[in-house]
Amino acid sequence: MRLARLCAAALLGLMAPLATSALARDDGRYANSPLKPWFESLHSEYGQCCSDADGYVVADVDWESDKGRYRVHLDDEWVVVPDGAVITEPNKIGRTMVWKHYIDGHPRVRCFMPGSMT
Protein backbone atom coordinates (compact mmCIF):
# COMPACT_ATOMS: atom_id res chain seq x y z
CA MET A 1 0.00 0.00 0.00
CA ARG A 2 2.83 2.39 0.83
CA LEU A 3 4.53 1.73 -2.51
CA ALA A 4 1.28 2.50 -4.33
CA ARG A 5 0.99 5.83 -2.50
CA LEU A 6 4.58 6.72 -3.34
CA CYS A 7 4.05 5.88 -7.01
CA ALA A 8 0.82 7.89 -7.10
CA ALA A 9 2.50 10.85 -5.41
CA ALA A 10 5.43 10.72 -7.82
CA LEU A 11 3.13 10.56 -10.84
CA LEU A 12 1.05 13.45 -9.54
CA GLY A 13 4.23 15.44 -8.86
CA LEU A 14 5.39 14.93 -12.44
CA MET A 15 2.03 15.81 -13.96
CA ALA A 16 1.16 18.85 -11.83
CA PRO A 17 3.70 21.26 -13.39
CA LEU A 18 2.52 20.31 -16.85
CA ALA A 19 -1.11 20.94 -16.01
CA THR A 20 -0.68 24.15 -14.04
CA SER A 21 1.89 26.07 -16.02
CA ALA A 22 0.61 25.68 -19.55
CA LEU A 23 -1.61 28.77 -19.47
CA ALA A 24 0.98 31.11 -17.99
CA ARG A 25 4.09 30.72 -20.10
CA ASP A 26 4.60 33.43 -22.69
CA ASP A 27 6.90 31.92 -25.26
CA GLY A 28 5.18 33.70 -28.13
CA ARG A 29 2.26 31.34 -28.61
CA TYR A 30 -0.10 33.76 -26.79
CA ALA A 31 0.98 36.82 -28.77
CA ASN A 32 -2.39 37.06 -30.54
CA SER A 33 -4.54 36.19 -27.53
CA PRO A 34 -7.20 38.81 -26.82
CA LEU A 35 -6.38 38.39 -23.10
CA LYS A 36 -2.65 39.12 -23.46
CA PRO A 37 -2.98 42.89 -22.76
CA TRP A 38 -5.22 42.16 -19.79
CA PHE A 39 -2.73 39.69 -18.28
CA GLU A 40 0.09 42.18 -18.80
CA SER A 41 -1.91 44.91 -17.03
CA LEU A 42 -2.45 42.90 -13.84
CA HIS A 43 -0.58 44.19 -10.81
CA SER A 44 -0.63 44.01 -7.03
CA GLU A 45 1.07 46.08 -4.34
CA TYR A 46 4.19 44.02 -5.14
CA GLY A 47 4.36 45.08 -8.79
CA GLN A 48 3.25 43.74 -12.13
CA CYS A 49 2.17 40.13 -11.96
CA CYS A 50 3.59 39.01 -15.31
CA SER A 51 6.80 41.03 -15.34
CA ASP A 52 9.20 38.77 -13.40
CA ALA A 53 7.06 35.82 -12.36
CA ASP A 54 5.13 33.19 -14.26
CA GLY A 55 1.50 32.65 -13.40
CA TYR A 56 0.10 29.25 -12.58
CA VAL A 57 -3.47 28.01 -12.62
CA VAL A 58 -4.34 26.70 -9.16
CA ALA A 59 -6.74 23.78 -8.68
CA ASP A 60 -9.66 24.41 -6.33
CA VAL A 61 -8.26 21.94 -3.78
CA ASP A 62 -5.01 23.94 -3.61
CA TRP A 63 -6.43 27.21 -2.34
CA GLU A 64 -8.88 28.28 0.32
CA SER A 65 -10.52 31.35 1.76
CA ASP A 66 -11.32 31.93 5.40
CA LYS A 67 -12.79 35.22 6.65
CA GLY A 68 -11.50 37.12 3.66
CA ARG A 69 -7.96 35.72 3.87
CA TYR A 70 -6.54 33.36 1.28
CA ARG A 71 -4.07 30.49 1.49
CA VAL A 72 -2.58 28.67 -1.46
CA HIS A 73 -0.69 25.38 -1.66
CA LEU A 74 2.65 25.99 -3.41
CA ASP A 75 5.57 23.56 -3.60
CA ASP A 76 4.24 21.39 -0.75
CA GLU A 77 3.66 24.40 1.54
CA TRP A 78 0.49 26.27 2.48
CA VAL A 79 1.32 29.94 1.96
CA VAL A 80 -0.76 32.81 3.32
CA VAL A 81 -1.58 35.30 0.57
CA PRO A 82 -0.79 38.85 1.69
CA ASP A 83 -3.75 41.21 1.32
CA GLY A 84 -1.68 43.37 -1.03
CA ALA A 85 -1.13 40.46 -3.42
CA VAL A 86 -4.84 39.88 -4.11
CA ILE A 87 -6.03 41.00 -7.54
CA THR A 88 -9.43 42.62 -6.99
CA GLU A 89 -10.48 43.35 -10.55
CA PRO A 90 -12.83 40.91 -12.31
CA ASN A 91 -11.25 37.60 -13.26
CA LYS A 92 -11.67 37.29 -17.03
CA ILE A 93 -10.61 33.64 -17.21
CA GLY A 94 -12.53 32.43 -14.16
CA ARG A 95 -9.67 30.20 -12.97
CA THR A 96 -7.64 30.83 -9.86
CA MET A 97 -4.10 31.96 -10.64
CA VAL A 98 -1.02 32.70 -8.59
CA TRP A 99 2.26 34.37 -9.46
CA LYS A 100 4.99 33.31 -7.08
CA HIS A 101 8.56 34.14 -6.20
CA TYR A 102 10.95 32.73 -3.61
CA ILE A 103 12.52 34.08 -0.43
CA ASP A 104 15.05 31.87 1.34
CA GLY A 105 13.93 28.93 -0.79
CA HIS A 106 10.27 29.21 0.21
CA PRO A 107 7.46 30.25 -2.14
CA ARG A 108 5.82 33.61 -1.61
CA VAL A 109 2.85 35.10 -3.44
CA ARG A 110 3.43 38.13 -5.64
CA CYS A 111 -0.09 38.14 -7.10
CA PHE A 112 -3.18 36.03 -6.43
CA MET A 113 -6.37 36.09 -8.47
CA PRO A 114 -9.18 34.02 -6.94
CA GLY A 115 -11.40 32.03 -9.26
CA SER A 116 -14.97 30.91 -9.08
CA MET A 117 -14.37 27.55 -7.29
CA THR A 118 -16.63 25.60 -9.64
Side-chain angles (χ1 to χ4, degrees):
M1 184 68 149
R2 185 173 185 205
L3 180 60
R5 284 189 205 159
L6 288 174
C7 288
L11 183 60
L12 181 62
L14 291 172
M15 290 176 57
L18 295 174
T20 59
S21 62
L23 183 64
R25 304 284 185 238
D26 187 7
D27 57 7
R29 64 186 139 167
Y30 302 112
N32 296 321
S33 169
L35 291 179
K36 184 175 174 50
W38 175 74
F39 271 111
E40 290 177 345
S41 74
L42 295 175
H43 66 278
S44 72
E45 289 181 12
Y46 302 102
Q48 284 187 295
C49 298
C50 292
S51 62
D52 296 329
D54 289 324
Y56 296 87
V57 173
V58 180
D60 287 345
V61 297
D62 289 328
W63 72 282
E64 60 188 24
S65 174
D66 183 35
K67 299 176 185 156
R69 298 293 313 250
Y70 296 102
R71 288 188 338 144
V72 64
H73 194 237
L74 299 172
D75 302 338
D76 297 323
E77 294 183 40
W78 279 99
V79 180
V80 173
V81 176
D83 290 339
V86 177
I87 304 298
T88 57
E89 71 176 76
N91 183 336
K92 291 186 179 185
I93 62 166
R95 310 252 336 254
T96 302
M97 291 193 69
V98 65
W99 288 260
K100 64 183 178 178
H101 64 279
Y102 293 88
I103 297 177
D104 296 328
H106 296 280
R108 298 293 182 254
V109 177
R110 180 183 186 124
C111 298
F112 178 78
M113 185 169 52
S116 57
M117 290 191 85
T118 59

